[in-house]
Amino acid sequence: MLLEINDLHVYYKSYWYILKVLNGVWLRVDKGERVGIIGESGSGKTTLLKSILKILPQNGIIPRGEIRYDGKNILKLGDNELTKIRRKEIGIIFQDPMAALNPVFTIREQLYDIIKHKMMIEGHNPSSRELHEQAVKILNDVRLPDPERVLESYPFQLSGGMRQRVMIAMALISAEKLLLADEPTTNLDVTIQDQILKLIHKLVIEKNLSTILVSHALGMVYQMTDRVFVLYAGDIMEEAGTNELFNHPKHPYTQLLISSTPRLSSVGVGEGIKGKIPDYRNPPPGCRFAPRCPYVMDKCINMKPGKIQVNKDHVVSCHLYD
Amino acid sequence: MTVENVTTSTRLQKILDNYYVRKILLSIVTLFGISILIFTIARVLPGDPARLALGPRAPEDVVEQYRKLLRLDQPIYVQYFYWLLDVFNGRFGLSLVTFRDVLTDIIEFIPATVELIIFTLIIDVIGALSLGVISGRKPNSIIDNAVRIFAYAGIAIPSFVWAIILQLVLANWLDLLPAYGRLSLGIEVNRITGLITVDALLNGNLVAFADAITHLIIPSLSLAIGSIAQEARILRANLIENINKDYILNMYAHGIPNSIIFFKYALKPSMIPTVTIMTLDMASTLGNAFLVELIFNWPGLSRYGITAMLRKDLNAIVGVVLVIGLAYTIASIIIDLLVSYLDPRVRYKR
Ligand SMILES: Nc1ncnc2c1ncn2[C@@H]1O[C@H](COP(=O)(O)OP(=O)(O)OP(=O)(O)O)[C@@H](O)[C@H]1O
Ligand code: SF4
Ligand SMILES: [Mg+2]
């Protein structure tokens, strides 16, 4: 087991209230496994990924939970060990590459710092020639034409597709074991989405990386993952092998999510379910899906459903299966 | 049209496309407009400048003659035309108070003001940067709250009041710093540039240099406090906002050391709005300098300017206003250059 998350709670504090977003999330990723996380906008997917690297914004707190990576709890790790994991082992592709690249520094400046600090933790202080070679190589790896020009550029001078490739290049520097990809195609032109997906797919296979692919594009997850977790309003609703999940969904939310997506192969987004994500200031005390669930029962209102093993490798959190 | 013509006109087009060329041209037009405006206002205001200059007891025919000499008997546009001719010949017209050319007067008085403003800017930049950084680094800490209280006071209290407070406390009560003037009695510096600190260094006179600095501190500080307060608050707000941006979290995700993240990747983008508002602060500093110079008996342009207003010294009024306009133009160009250095998006748009 490479990564195992148990009972993870994440809150966002503001001056006036607390948003109780993640509500006891669990997750596991085996070595070499490609895991998908699906769920509609606002369900906490990005929050979950950021927690794994402990890079939540400053108002994000983790009051409870455990994130075991390679046997060690990331939340309790000392600075040195955490730095090593961040520089060498886990990489993240942010949702919006424009937002994730510093607007006032060139790609060169940002990429060099990342490469340099990674090499430093390997006990090597690179010369600027080495940095340059590495940067060009890594940009070639993500099929960026004219790496020299890209290095000289500021983010706003690149196209959306190029920015995403730079983002992937950065993530790959650090992702020697685990790659976290947060909706890597949603901010791109439809024509480029497919190219980027294929690129990620190829790189992951080539480097034998474990991955977590976050998306609300179900078709993409269906094609690219071995196992899927369904996240809704900060709770994992269902977990199963990809085929099993898409062909025999058990949880009412998963069923609605899948049936509301027109064609599984398309990049469609499953948000045709009536109602909205609950208010995180005051979320439903029992099942968080209860306000929207067509099968809601009395006990759903006040009692949070547990993890129910319905099948080998298929877990649901729903009172229907008690 | 010949080929040569085409290339000349596209070349001209290119030069005009340059942001700074446009900006400088625009400033020249603006200064020109200001000169017409002030020239006219100074002349249509009630009061007879010739009479004021010569005093109540001068005989009427002498005054009349003086009026002719100043061309006050001619229409304003004719007067303006002659004034403009003067300007192109490097003269700003005669001062009715000192009976010298206004430019000569300005050259004599301006170094004291320039020195004050430059020192104010230095204090402003150092103060705003350090207060902004220490409060933005640890929001809501004790030190941040202290800076907050200081900033509210700094913004709310006008600089001439600060001048009086600081003069009272630092000079009169604590006796730490001199209360008036540019140099202590008995210390002298040969005038080279007119900036005493620079001249003292050029003369190799360190005692005079230190003395000049101690005289600069209170006036500059009172001028700078308002800007420091405002700029520090803006820097703090931007630091706090930017430190949560994905481009910063991305650096954390790669295990980049905190100090590099803060002082390099967060500070640079956060400084842009701060530097941008310095243009506005500069305008108020130039205005406030008038009162502060009076309070500290600072022999700069403002005493000259205020006397000019009171005595209706026509040419001096126009000269002083133009010089201030020019100073503001220069300052805003420098700030523009700074912003475009910090922000590539602006640089490439220009
Ligand atoms: N820094 C923050 N402060 C306060 N609330 C936040 C913060 N970041 C996220 N949230 C809130 O937390 C909830 C979950 O956000 P998150 O970005 O994790 O969702 P997501 O599943 O990634 O959504 P999307 O598909 O739109 O990216 C949302 O309600 C969001 O508004
Ligand atoms: S627990 Fe109840 S409310 Fe929640 S999904 Fe199951 S049936 Fe619906
Ligand atoms: Mg997200």
Side-chain angles (χ1 to χ4, degrees), chain A residues 41-47 95 182-183 214 216:
Chain A
S41 187
S43 51
K45 305 181 295 294
T46 300
T47 303
Q95 190 162 357
D182 193 357
E183 315 213 18
V214 158
H216 46 204

Side-chain angles (χ1 to χ4, degrees), chain A residues 50 53 55-59 83 86-87 90 92 94 96 99-105 109-110 113-114 117 154 156-157 167 170-171 173-174, chain B residues 137 139 240 243-258 260 264-266 268-269 272 341-348:
Chain A
K50 286 180 177 167
L53 276 161
I55 54 164
L56 288 169
Q58 290 190 330
N59 65 333
T83 301
R86 285 172 171 177
R87 289 191 192 174
I90 306 181
I92 180 167
F94 278 81
D96 177 1
L101 296 170
N102 197 313
V104 301
F105 287 94
E109 195 80 39
Q110 305 180 53
D113 259 338
I114 293 171
H117 285 96
Y154 289 93
F156 73 95
Q157 294 172 307
M167 190 77 243
M170 282 182 177
I173 296 171
S174 303
Chain B
R137 188 127 206 236
I240 291 173
I243 204 78
N244 286 321
K245 292 256 171 83
D246 275 356
Y247 61 74
I248 294 297
L249 302 183
N250 185 32
M251 287 295 163
Y252 279 115
H254 284 97
I256 307 295
N258 289 350
I260 294 184
K264 179 173 176 183
Y265 289 111
K268 189 176 176 193
I272 295 167
Y341 162 75
L342 289 172
D343 192 345
R345 289 161 295 189
V346 171
R347 199 181 319 150
Y348 284 85

